Amino acid sequence: MLTLKTISENPELVIKKLAKKHFDAKEIIEKVLEIDQTRKKTQTSLDACLSESNNLSKHIGQLMKEGNKAEAEIAKNRVAEIKGQSKVLEETLRQAEQDLQELLVLIPNLPSDEVPEGRVAEDNVVEKTGGIIPELGEDALPHWDLAKKYDLIDFELGVKITGAGFPVYKGKGARLQRALINYFLDKARESGYLEVQPPYVVNAASGYGTGQLPDKEGQMYHATLDDLYLIPTAEVPVTNIYRDVILEEKDLPIMNTAYSACFRREAGSYGKDVRGLNRLHQFDKVEIVRIDKPEHSYESLKEMVAHVQSLVDELELPWRILRLCGGDMSFTSALTFDFEVFSAAQKRWLEVSSVSNFESYQANRLKCRYRDADKKIQLAHTLNGSALALPRIVAALLENNQTDAGIRIPKVLVPYTGFEFIN
């Protein structure tokens, strides 16, 4: 969340920047400043009461030593009166702090100056493209038909077991999943990321720490009896490793990678966007996460984008990188680059990765800090990216590599799959 310092130093600038995300912040910012003034005044009054009470308590002892019981009694009465006033002030202060917290978590992160203007996905800026779009024949099949033809994925069986959006991978389809996961993890480790294996369920504090709560509560599966949430991405548990932690500057950037299953309700999804592997409720993904100091975080972002580009290049997929406009960005992001690959049979671009810098927004919620060279405690910057999400990668690999002899496996994956063709 934004710090009170950021808001109070230049509220008009905050309102202007959030307008790029098409968020009207005027009313909520004014309310935050009003409550903060109440909090400050209450704290000042409470401090004065405590100071007077302490001074009187010392004075009472002196009066008792001097035998001046009448004045001591008057002082005791005043101390009792101050305690009553302090109790009221403490409750006012507690309520103000609670009200402030409830408002601050509703305010999105400020977009970077590099974020383009725009309201919808069509306004995103294409930064870079690569790879060659294959030319398929008229009889080319979409991945859901290929999955059925070669008995790779059973969508109907998933519906029987759980429901729509929970496919069952079989035979070479399951082996392809495992191959991609291992390949992505190996590439991340080669790039300096430490692999961790996090839990797939998190508590509410973790959801609030990375900003999924309260913003995306309706998109998360909630185990209400235990008040635990199934993770929508490994970003949540991995970043929360550093909640309430003070790191040392010399150890930054911290670089972690993790494989996890991901669970998303995807409420409101329908039509062609949900066909086959295009949008699932459960899917596999390898995530990369960095904790960095502010002056280096955008260099880290560039390195993460380059890492993801190397993956789609090696998979021989046509790709493009989009710089997201203000209206298409997430609640928590300051700057996001999306990767899309072209699915040749569907003739459409499919998003396979988002790489984002959250600056200090998540860190402030997490209380993730570091001690700089001058021994000062500073908020860190957090970043993460999909490297990569599997479903749409698999969709593009199946469609783009279909031949009369079967589906060709990219060379880089053959050591992981153990086969060159699916036939």
Side-chain angles (χ1 to χ4, degrees), residues 28 31-32 35 98-107:
I28 194 169
K31 189 66 176 174
V32 164
I35 295 173
Q98 181 181 319
D99 291 345
L100 266 179
Q101 185 70 16
E102 289 176 355
L103 287 175
L104 287 171
V105 297
L106 299 177
I107 302 172

Side-chain angles (χ1 to χ4, degrees), residues 152-187:
L152 304 175
I153 308 167
D154 195 322
F155 295 101
E156 289 75 19
L157 186 55
V159 172
K160 171 188 171 182
I161 296 169
T162 309
F166 295 88
V168 175
Y169 299 88
K170 302 164 64 178
K172 287 186 175 181
R175 290 169 65 184
L176 178 58
Q177 290 283 115
R178 182 158 45 87
L180 284 164
I181 292 165
N182 289 335
Y183 164 66
F184 293 149
L185 286 173
D186 283 353
K187 293 297 290 185

Side-chain angles (χ1 to χ4, degrees), residues 370-387:
Y370 72 98
R371 186 180 288 106
D372 67 18
D374 297 323
K375 305 301 180 184
K376 292 181 180 178
I377 305 300
Q378 311 276 7
L379 282 173
H381 278 194
T382 65
L383 307 93
N384 70 54
S386 309

